[in-house]
Amino acid sequence: CRLSIQLSHLSSFRGPLQYDHDEGQAVIGGYVYRGSLAPALQGQYIFGDLRDGDKLYNFDADTVAQGTLSRLSRVYLKYNGTTYNEVGDFTGSGVGSRNADIRFGYDEDNELYIMSKYNGRIYKVVGATKVEVYGSLANISTRGEVGVGNDVLIGGFVIQGDEDLTVLIQGVGEELVSADSSLAGSVLTDVSITLYDNMGNEISSNDDWTSEDAVLKQQVMADTGSFELARRSKSSSLLETLSPGVYTVILSGVGDAEGVALIEVYEVPSE
């Protein structure tokens, strides 16, 4: 059996193969591709995630550096002329769960093989196409529990293309209750956010969104459809114009504050 792999950009992670459990559970180890049948895969580490069953991912193993943000991408699979989201979409009948974990291997020519435990078949990678995705950043968000000290919430985003982009970045606490009443009493009541570039340099930070540009931010919140922060709220907000690149937002509690919080990033429409 043969398949060709199609690549598409997905998200970011911090450090070599490190991401939180909102994105995945446990890495199913794969291999860095060094074969010749799929030149677009050269230097890419192909792997799976246990929670996702037979969805595949990749990153550029030749450029990743410890302590910096790198791009993590989803791998789509083309088999018998049809593109699939995951291995389980085309494995047919088998034994057990379709989401049973998969295995990887390679031969003496460094060509990559993918093995499905569901149907017992071995698939050889015979080609690949890299798909660059361009367009606007609409909205990304991540929600989680924030504790004290280093128990923070981390979100990453990538700005592609050749032009600068203005974004609204918010650390939302008490306003979450308006969207989910079950969070009453468990949200982070005093939020601080800090924005970093891909080298770990601090760009800006905010503690209490009304401390700067409050009127402008209110208008942008309405324009983008983001959470509209209450006037006396201790949620945080940044309005930044950024160059293309990879960015990280770290959300923490002020003092000993703990609870559920949300990071959200919106593209601000140009006039």
Side-chain angles (χ1 to χ4, degrees):
C1 298
R2 294 187 174 190
L3 64 137
S4 61
I5 290 181
Q6 186 172 348
L7 306 181
S8 179
H9 294 317
L10 175 69
S11 59
S12 302
F13 67 95
R14 191 171 181 84
L17 228 59
Q18 175 182 325
Y19 45 78
D20 64 36
H21 284 176
D22 289 335
E23 299 294 334
Q25 187 178 70
V27 169
I28 300 175
Y31 295 97
V32 177
Y33 184 78
R34 301 296 185 191
S36 59
L37 293 178
L41 288 182
Q42 277 295 331
Q44 298 294 314
Y45 181 71
I46 310 297
F47 67 98
D49 186 276
L50 188 61
R51 187 181 72 177
D52 284 337
D54 29 19
K55 291 181 181 177
L56 306 184
Y57 302 88
N58 74 288
F59 74 92
D60 189 343
D62 292 332
T63 60
V64 69
Q66 179 70 34
T68 64
L69 275 172
S70 298
R71 177 177 295 162
L72 177 66
S73 302
R74 268 293 307 280
V75 173
Y76 295 90
L77 303 156
K78 194 171 185 179
Y79 179 63
N80 287 342
T82 302
T83 300
Y84 298 92
N85 187 49
E86 55 190 84
V87 176
D89 289 341
F90 61 85
T91 51
S93 61
V95 178
S97 170
R98 282 186 179 273
N99 289 330
D101 56 340
I102 55 178
R103 294 291 184 265
F104 300 88
Y106 65 96
D107 61 21
E108 60 184 3
D109 296 319
N110 292 315
E111 299 302 342
L112 182 65
Y113 294 80
I114 301 169
M115 290 151 277
S116 168
K117 292 180 66 176
Y118 176 70
N119 67 358
R121 291 190 175 186
I122 300 174
Y123 301 87
K124 184 178 182 179
V125 175
V126 296
T129 303
K130 187 173 183 179
V131 180
E132 295 286 352
V133 179
Y134 298 97
S136 62
L137 168 69
N139 167 37
I140 61 171
S141 63
T142 183
R143 193 180 88 174
E145 188 84 26
V146 177
V148 296
N150 293 325
D151 192 4
V152 298
L153 185 62
I154 300 175
F157 63 97
V158 178
I159 297 177
Q160 296 181 331
D162 301 319
E163 298 182 357
D164 292 352
L165 188 69
T166 300
V167 294
L168 175 69
I169 304 168
Q170 300 207 130
V172 184
E174 62 189 64
E175 288 80 7
L176 292 175
V177 178
S178 64
D180 184 352
S181 59
S182 68
L183 292 175
S186 62
V187 295
L188 187 64
T189 56
D190 198 347
V191 181
S192 175
I193 55 174
T194 305
L195 175 66
Y196 296 89
D197 65 17
N198 69 322
M199 299 303 294
N201 300 310
E202 181 178 330
I203 297 174
S204 59
S205 63
N206 180 251
D207 174 16
D208 297 346
W209 73 274
T210 57
S211 62
E212 54 184 342
D213 299 326
V215 175
L216 178 58
K217 288 178 181 176
Q218 275 188 313
Q219 182 60 55
V220 172
M221 291 175 204
D223 291 343
T224 58
S226 65
F227 271 96
E228 295 192 28
L229 305 182
R231 192 68 183 174
R232 296 181 181 276
S233 168
K234 288 188 174 294
S235 293
S236 294
S237 181
L238 288 168
L239 193 58
E240 299 288 337
T241 298
L242 303 172
S243 302
V246 181
Y247 298 91
T248 301
V249 183
I250 295 182
L251 183 153
S252 58
V254 177
D256 293 326
E258 300 179 65
V260 177
L262 173 86
I263 296 172
E264 62 176 1
V265 182
Y266 280 83
E267 176 182 348
V268 178
S270 57
E271 298 181 357

